[in-house]
PDB file of all heavy atoms in Angstrom:
ATOM      1  N   MET A   1     -21.718 -18.970 -38.968  1.00 45.00           N
ATOM      2  CA  MET A   1     -20.311 -18.854 -38.717  1.00 45.00           C
ATOM      3  C   MET A   1     -20.076 -18.500 -37.222  1.00 45.00           C
ATOM      4  O   MET A   1     -20.664 -17.553 -36.743  1.00 45.00           O
ATOM      5  CB  MET A   1     -19.680 -17.750 -39.645  1.00 45.00           C
ATOM      6  CG  MET A   1     -18.267 -17.424 -39.290  1.00 45.00           C
ATOM      7  SD  MET A   1     -17.629 -16.117 -40.344  1.00 45.00           S
ATOM      8  CE  MET A   1     -16.817 -17.117 -41.561  1.00 45.00           C
ATOM      9  N   PRO A   2     -19.213 -19.289 -36.554  1.00 39.00           N
ATOM     10  CA  PRO A   2     -18.998 -18.991 -35.141  1.00 39.00           C
ATOM     11  C   PRO A   2     -18.210 -17.679 -34.979  1.00 39.00           C
ATOM     12  O   PRO A   2     -17.411 -17.329 -35.795  1.00 39.00           O
ATOM     13  CB  PRO A   2     -18.217 -20.181 -34.594  1.00 39.00           C
ATOM     14  CG  PRO A   2     -17.636 -20.883 -35.795  1.00 39.00           C
ATOM     15  CD  PRO A   2     -18.520 -20.448 -36.959  1.00 39.00           C
ATOM     16  N   SER A   3     -18.504 -17.000 -33.834  1.00 40.00           N
ATOM     17  CA  SER A   3     -17.825 -15.787 -33.583  1.00 40.00           C
ATOM     18  C   SER A   3     -16.394 -16.075 -33.058  1.00 40.00           C
ATOM     19  O   SER A   3     -16.207 -17.112 -32.400  1.00 40.00           O
ATOM     20  CB  SER A   3     -18.604 -14.899 -32.648  1.00 40.00           C
ATOM     21  OG  SER A   3     -18.707 -15.543 -31.416  1.00 40.00           O
ATOM     22  N   PRO A   4     -15.432 -15.198 -33.267  1.00 41.00           N
ATOM     23  CA  PRO A   4     -14.065 -15.418 -32.794  1.00 41.00           C
ATOM     24  C   PRO A   4     -14.065 -15.339 -31.254  1.00 41.00           C
ATOM     25  O   PRO A   4     -14.916 -14.628 -30.659  1.00 41.00           O
ATOM     26  CB  PRO A   4     -13.272 -14.327 -33.391  1.00 41.00           C
ATOM     27  CG  PRO A   4     -14.212 -13.250 -33.784  1.00 41.00           C
ATOM     28  CD  PRO A   4     -15.523 -13.927 -33.983  1.00 41.00           C
ATOM     29  N   PRO A   5     -13.128 -16.051 -30.625  1.00 42.00           N
ATOM     30  CA  PRO A   5     -13.049 -15.980 -29.145  1.00 42.00           C
ATOM     31  C   PRO A   5     -12.658 -14.560 -28.757  1.00 42.00           C
ATOM     32  O   PRO A   5     -12.011 -13.880 -29.406  1.00 42.00           O
ATOM     33  CB  PRO A   5     -11.940 -16.974 -28.818  1.00 42.00           C
ATOM     34  CG  PRO A   5     -11.158 -17.149 -30.063  1.00 42.00           C
ATOM     35  CD  PRO A   5     -12.076 -16.848 -31.196  1.00 42.00           C
ATOM     36  N   SER A   6     -13.236 -14.244 -27.579  1.00 43.00           N
ATOM     37  CA  SER A   6     -12.870 -12.888 -27.019  1.00 43.00           C
ATOM     38  C   SER A   6     -11.442 -12.946 -26.505  1.00 43.00           C
ATOM     39  O   SER A   6     -10.857 -13.993 -26.281  1.00 43.00           O
ATOM     40  CB  SER A   6     -13.856 -12.497 -25.880  1.00 43.00           C
ATOM     41  OG  SER A   6     -13.583 -13.407 -24.802  1.00 43.00           O
ATOM     42  N   ALA A   7     -10.829 -11.764 -26.322  1.00 44.00           N
ATOM     43  CA  ALA A   7      -9.476 -11.658 -25.849  1.00 44.00           C
ATOM     44  C   ALA A   7      -9.256 -12.379 -24.583  1.00 44.00           C
ATOM     45  O   ALA A   7      -8.265 -12.993 -24.266  1.00 44.00           O
ATOM     46  CB  ALA A   7      -9.049 -10.227 -25.751  1.00 44.00           C
ATOM     47  N   SER A   9     -10.764 -15.079 -23.533  1.00 43.00           N
ATOM     48  CA  SER A   9     -10.966 -16.506 -23.581  1.00 43.00           C
ATOM     49  C   SER A   9      -9.856 -17.193 -24.400  1.00 43.00           C
ATOM     50  O   SER A   9      -9.826 -18.435 -24.452  1.00 43.00           O
ATOM     51  CB  SER A   9     -12.294 -16.859 -24.262  1.00 43.00           C
ATOM     52  OG  SER A   9     -12.311 -16.477 -25.570  1.00 43.00           O
ATOM     53  N   ARG A  10      -9.002 -16.434 -25.000  1.00 51.00           N
ATOM     54  CA  ARG A  10      -7.912 -17.053 -25.756  1.00 51.00           C
ATOM     55  C   ARG A  10      -6.914 -17.727 -24.850  1.00 51.00           C
ATOM     56  O   ARG A  10      -6.749 -17.281 -23.707  1.00 51.00           O
ATOM     57  CB  ARG A  10      -7.161 -15.998 -26.605  1.00 51.00           C
ATOM     58  CG  ARG A  10      -7.988 -15.403 -27.666  1.00 51.00           C
ATOM     59  CD  ARG A  10      -7.162 -14.448 -28.448  1.00 51.00           C
ATOM     60  NE  ARG A  10      -6.272 -13.678 -27.568  1.00 51.00           N
ATOM     61  CZ  ARG A  10      -5.415 -12.745 -27.987  1.00 51.00           C
ATOM     62  NH1 ARG A  10      -5.299 -12.481 -29.238  1.00 51.00           N
ATOM     63  NH2 ARG A  10      -4.656 -12.084 -27.140  1.00 51.00           N
TER      64      ARG A  10
END
Side-chain angles (χ1 to χ4, degrees):
M1 170 182 265
S3 60
S6 67
S9 67
R10 294 183 319 178

